[in-house]
Amino acid sequence: MTTASADAVPVYWQETRRPWVNLVFIAPWLVLYELGVWLSDRAGQAARNGADEWLRTALDRTGWPMAWVLPLLVVATLWGWHRAVQQPCEVRRDTLAGMAAESLLFACGLILIGQAVDGWMRVSDPLLLSTGTTSIALRLVNFLGAGLYEEYLFRLCLIPLSYVLLRGILVPHRFAVACSIVATSVVFALAHYLTPTIDGNVMSLFSDAVVRVQSQRELWFGFAFRLIAGGYFAAVYCTRGFGIAVGCHALYDVIVGIVLISEL
C-alpha cells in the first residue's frame, strides 16, 4: 500500500504536462469562450480578446477567415503534440480537479505579486484590467479568451519556437529556456501597448510600443507588472503545463476584473 501511494504522488505532476490532459482541461474553457463570442456577435457586442483578434487577423491574411479555424488550430496543436509523443488517451478526474485547484492557487499568487509591485511603485491601479462599462458576461468571455489565446500565442507557440531557435545556434539548454522566458515576457508586455494600423508591420508596431512606454511615465507600472506576469505565466507553463497556465491566467483576470473590482 505504501509503495502504491508513493508511486501515485509523482504521476499527477507528470500528467499535468501531458498534451492530451491539457486538451481535455481547456476544452470547456474553449467552448464557453467561442460560444460567448458567438452570442455577443449576434447581440452586436464585441467580446473578442486582443490575442484572439491578432491571431484571426493573421489567419485572415493567409486566406483562412473562418471563425472556427482558430479554435481548431488550438485543438490541432495539442492533438498533434499528443500524437507526436504517443502518450495514452487517459485522463483522471482527480488530475483535472488538481489542475483547477493549482490554477486558482497560482492566480491568487499573481494577485499578491501585483499588490506587492503596486506598493513598491506607489501607484493606484494594481489591477490593470480595463472593464469600462461592459457587462459582467462580456468581461467573463473576454477574460476566458485572454487565458486561452494569450497563453496559446505567447507560451505554447513562442516559448518553444524561441527555444528551438536558440538551441539551433548552440545556446546551452538552461540559458535557452531562461532567454525564451524573458524574450516572450517582454513581447507579452509590449503587446498590450500596440496601436494597430492598417499598413503597420509587426516590427514597426512593437517599435512604436517601446517608444510609447518609454515616453509615458504613467505606463511604467503597467508595463513592469505585465512583464512580471509574463514571466510568471511562462514559469507556470514550463513547470506545470499549458492547461494550468491557461487556468491561472483566466482565473486571475476573472477574480481581479469581476470579483475584486465589484467590491471597490
Side-chain angles (χ1 to χ4, degrees):
M1 188 72 176
T2 304
T3 304
S5 299
D7 291 341
V9 173
V11 169
Y12 167 77
W13 304 105
Q14 297 166 3
E15 283 189 331
T16 62
R17 301 175 65 181
R18 286 173 46 204
W20 177 252
V21 174
N22 282 283
L23 178 56
V24 172
F25 181 73
I26 70 163
W29 310 63
L30 190 59
V31 171
L32 284 174
Y33 174 71
E34 294 297 336
L35 179 61
V37 167
W38 179 74
L39 292 173
S40 68
D41 286 345
R42 287 182 58 119
Q45 298 172 308
R48 291 202 181 278
N49 168 259
D52 183 1
E53 290 287 359
W54 303 331
L55 289 166
R56 287 180 194 275
T57 299
L59 288 171
D60 287 345
R61 291 177 178 176
T62 59
W64 294 90
M66 290 79 77
W68 52 265
V69 171
L70 183 55
L72 183 61
L73 182 61
V74 174
V75 173
T77 302
L78 290 169
W79 173 252
W81 179 14
H82 166 71
R83 295 295 297 172
V85 295
Q86 298 182 339
Q87 293 173 337
C89 295
E90 297 177 0
V91 182
R92 300 186 309 178
R93 284 180 294 180
D94 57 343
T95 297
L96 298 177
M99 292 173 71
E102 278 198 79
S103 297
L104 179 59
L105 179 64
F106 284 121
C108 292
L110 185 57
I111 292 173
L112 294 177
I113 291 173
Q115 295 295 329
V117 175
D118 172 48
W120 172 55
M121 299 191 74
R122 299 181 181 275
V123 295
S124 58
D125 184 17
L127 304 180
L128 293 173
L129 291 176
S130 177
T131 59
T133 57
T134 57
S135 67
I136 290 179
L138 282 178
R139 275 184 275 163
L140 179 60
V141 171
N142 190 272
F143 296 154
L144 287 176
L148 284 163
Y149 289 120
E150 289 184 10
E151 292 310 302
Y152 175 75
L153 175 60
F154 296 107
R155 257 60 72 176
L156 188 60
C157 293
L158 290 187
I159 286 181
L161 177 60
S162 301
Y163 175 80
V164 169
L165 291 175
L166 290 170
R167 290 292 287 158
I169 58 174
L170 304 181
V171 175
H173 165 70
R174 291 187 178 180
F175 192 61
V177 171
C179 287
S180 297
I181 289 175
V182 172
T184 55
S185 299
V186 171
V187 173
F188 170 76
L190 286 174
H192 290 80
Y193 300 94
L194 298 180
T195 52
T197 59
I198 296 177
D199 298 323
N201 58 59
V202 174
M203 293 305 296
S204 64
L205 289 176
F206 275 94
S207 297
D208 290 343
V210 171
V211 173
R212 182 183 173 200
V213 172
Q214 186 179 21
S215 61
Q216 299 181 43
R217 189 181 182 90
E218 64 272 17
L219 299 180
W220 291 2
F221 167 73
F223 178 79
F225 177 73
R226 288 182 173 108
L227 181 62
I228 293 171
Y232 187 88
F233 293 137
V236 172
Y237 165 76
C238 290
T239 59
R240 302 303 305 121
F242 173 66
I244 294 178
V246 168
C248 168
H249 192 151
L251 288 177
Y252 168 81
D253 285 358
V254 169
I255 293 171
V256 168
I258 295 178
V259 178
L260 295 184
I261 282 182
S262 67
E263 296 178 358
L264 294 179

